């Protein structure tokens, strides 16, 4: 017999933001290391000099208060903001995504309209953007979108007009 405890896992979502400097990521994980936790997902991005780091962990609910207190101390010592959200989540929502499609958008002058149109096509195809990353910036800006839930063939057809109307190159992998 399955119980709700079998279908759910206690998670912590940690969001760190602030001015980037060496050692922030190492310090955050040093704080988390003494605890019996598992890292489920992690994303880090630096734009200009601003850092955003998100970490999803699974943990024993009894450790929540201690982890939250240590994160607060870490936040003060690093002079960054750290927010956390602890809750039960359906285990199926924590699974690693498969069948991901990568879309690269490249242009000498990347305009918001190109990204809006690309995002709309992704949405119309029932897909979801999982991550966005800048791969290059000079002389051509290249942005990579990793998406889930779409068919590569359908995307190729839908994205072709966007490339030509925005003076961009779009590749789907």
């Amino acid at each position: 017999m399955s119980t709700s405890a079998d279908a759910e896992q206690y998670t912590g979502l940690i969001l760190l933001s602030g001015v980037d400097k060496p050692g922030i990521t190492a310090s955050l994980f040093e704080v988390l290391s003494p605890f019996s936790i598992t890292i489920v997902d992690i994303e880090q991005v630096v734009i200009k000099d601003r850092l955003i780091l998100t970490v999803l962990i699974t943990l024993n609910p009894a450790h929540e208060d201690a982890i939250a207190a240590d994160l607060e101390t870490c936040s003060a010592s690093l002079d960054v903001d750290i927010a956390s959200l602890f809750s039960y989540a359906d285990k199926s929502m924590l699974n690693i995504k498969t069948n991901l499609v990568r879309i690269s958008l490249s242009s000498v002058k990347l305009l918001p309209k190109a990204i809006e149109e690309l995002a709309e096509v992704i949405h119309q195809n029932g897909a979801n953007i999982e991550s966005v990353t800048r791969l290059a910036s000079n002389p051509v800006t290249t942005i990579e979108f990793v998406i889930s839930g779409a068919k590569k063939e359908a995307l190729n057809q839908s994205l072709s007009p966007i490339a030509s109307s925005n003076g961009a190159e779009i590749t789907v992998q």
Side-chain angles (χ1 to χ4, degrees):
M1 175 177 224
S2 168
T3 67
S4 65
D6 294 334
E8 291 187 328
Q9 176 72 52
Y10 200 68
T11 64
L13 179 60
I14 300 165
L15 170 62
L16 181 151
S17 64
V19 175
D20 188 35
K21 59 187 172 212
I24 290 177
T25 302
S27 295
L28 175 66
F29 285 95
E30 179 182 10
V31 165
L32 296 174
S33 291
F35 297 99
S36 179
I37 65 172
T38 301
I39 306 298
V40 177
D41 200 357
I42 181 172
E43 291 279 340
Q44 177 174 314
V45 65
V46 177
I47 296 180
K48 202 172 175 191
D49 66 343
R50 298 295 297 182
L51 165 70
I52 299 173
L53 172 61
T54 57
V55 182
L56 180 63
I57 62 174
T58 59
L59 67 146
N60 180 328
H63 298 161
E64 175 186 337
D65 291 341
I67 291 172
D70 286 359
L71 289 173
E72 189 173 318
T73 301
C74 179
S75 173
S77 71
L78 294 174
D79 193 28
V80 296
D81 294 320
I82 298 179
S84 56
L85 174 64
F86 297 93
S87 64
Y88 282 96
D90 188 318
K91 284 183 180 179
S92 66
M93 299 301 287
L94 302 177
N95 292 337
I96 295 173
K97 302 211 180 213
T98 58
N99 300 322
L100 298 175
V101 175
R102 297 178 184 279
I103 301 171
S104 294
L105 172 63
S106 299
S107 180
V108 172
K109 185 176 180 183
L110 188 56
L111 301 174
K113 187 70 173 163
I115 295 173
E116 182 270 324
E117 290 175 1
L118 183 138
E120 183 59 32
V121 165
I122 291 168
H123 172 71
Q124 289 172 355
N125 279 271
N128 188 55
I129 299 172
E130 299 295 329
S131 68
V132 180
T133 306
R134 177 179 47 95
L135 300 179
S137 60
N138 192 12
V140 174
T141 300
T142 301
I143 307 294
E144 179 183 67
F145 297 80
V146 177
I147 65 169
S148 62
K151 301 275 189 247
K152 182 179 171 185
E153 300 76 27
L155 285 171
N156 272 329
Q157 289 180 335
S158 301
L159 293 173
S160 183
I162 294 170
S164 62
S165 69
N166 287 284
E169 180 180 322
I170 298 176
T171 57
V172 181
Q173 302 173 343

